[in-house]
Amino acid sequence: MKRLIYILFLLLSVQIYAQNYSAKSNQNDSSQKYYDIAFNEIAAMLDGKQSLSIARAVFLAEWAYLEGKPNYQAYCDTIKTAATFIQKFIKANQLEKYKTGKNMALVEYFFNPYSGNAYKSFTYDFKDDGGAEDFTKQFITKIIPVLPSAITY
């Protein structure tokens, strides 16, 4: 069941990004190259030739759209840093004794300033909430409060 959920999520991600990618104007050979690389790697995951990774699939979709600009190691480091902070937050606040402790920690991390998120809480974009003007506003790298300088737009 878990594998099926991953596969459905990956297919949905690929479809959404593919539609928006093809709608992009000024599509040239180099941008097609990034799309092909990302598509082939995600397809390999779905075919069982590579291990499934939602983090990698989401990164690849954003990487292709941005023509190779985000750095995968910086992306992974950001996620690891956030996960480490949240785990420490759970322990420090003894949230593990609650069924919803992880949820509480995530809400705290995203919506309140802490050292773990560089004292920068998530803010909602009410002007372009669907990414109609700027599709990158839908990216995961836009909602992670702590971003290394290697991830730029």
Side-chain angles (χ1 to χ4, degrees):
M1 181 68 175
K2 186 176 177 182
R3 183 176 171 92
L4 180 62
I5 291 170
Y6 285 140
I7 291 171
L8 291 174
F9 179 77
L10 290 173
L11 286 173
L12 180 62
S13 296
V14 170
Q15 181 64 29
I16 290 169
Y17 286 111
Q19 287 174 347
N20 285 291
Y21 184 83
S22 65
K24 242 178 107 173
S25 60
N26 299 331
Q27 192 175 32
N28 57 31
D29 290 339
S30 69
S31 54
Q32 183 65 42
K33 175 185 79 170
Y34 290 110
Y35 173 79
D36 290 341
I37 291 168
F39 181 85
N40 290 334
E41 189 170 336
I42 293 170
M45 287 183 206
L46 295 173
D47 291 339
K49 296 174 184 171
Q50 246 177 275
S51 60
L52 288 174
S53 171
I54 290 179
R56 180 72 180 164
V58 170
F59 171 81
L60 284 168
E62 294 182 17
W63 177 83
Y65 188 87
L66 296 169
E67 298 180 352
K69 290 181 185 172
N71 176 286
Y72 185 62
Q73 188 59 50
Y75 176 82
C76 290
D77 290 346
T78 301
I79 293 170
K80 286 178 187 173
T81 301
T84 300
F85 176 80
I86 292 167
Q87 289 168 346
K88 288 179 180 180
F89 185 90
I90 290 169
K91 187 171 183 161
N93 293 286
Q94 300 176 0
L95 296 177
E96 66 273 353
K97 61 185 176 182
Y98 301 103
K99 289 181 180 180
T100 59
K102 292 177 184 176
N103 300 58
M104 289 187 276
L106 284 169
V107 167
E108 285 295 316
Y109 177 78
F110 281 107
F111 294 104
N112 293 304
Y114 288 102
S115 61
N117 61 13
Y119 300 101
K120 183 180 174 188
S121 57
F122 171 78
T123 55
Y124 190 78
D125 182 1
F126 289 99
K127 294 179 184 173
D128 188 20
D129 59 345
E133 294 174 27
D134 180 5
F135 187 68
T136 64
K137 291 185 179 182
Q138 296 184 20
F139 289 177
I140 296 298
T141 50
K142 282 290 189 184
I143 65 165
I144 298 175
V146 182
L147 287 175
S149 59
I151 300 178
T152 58
Y153 295 97

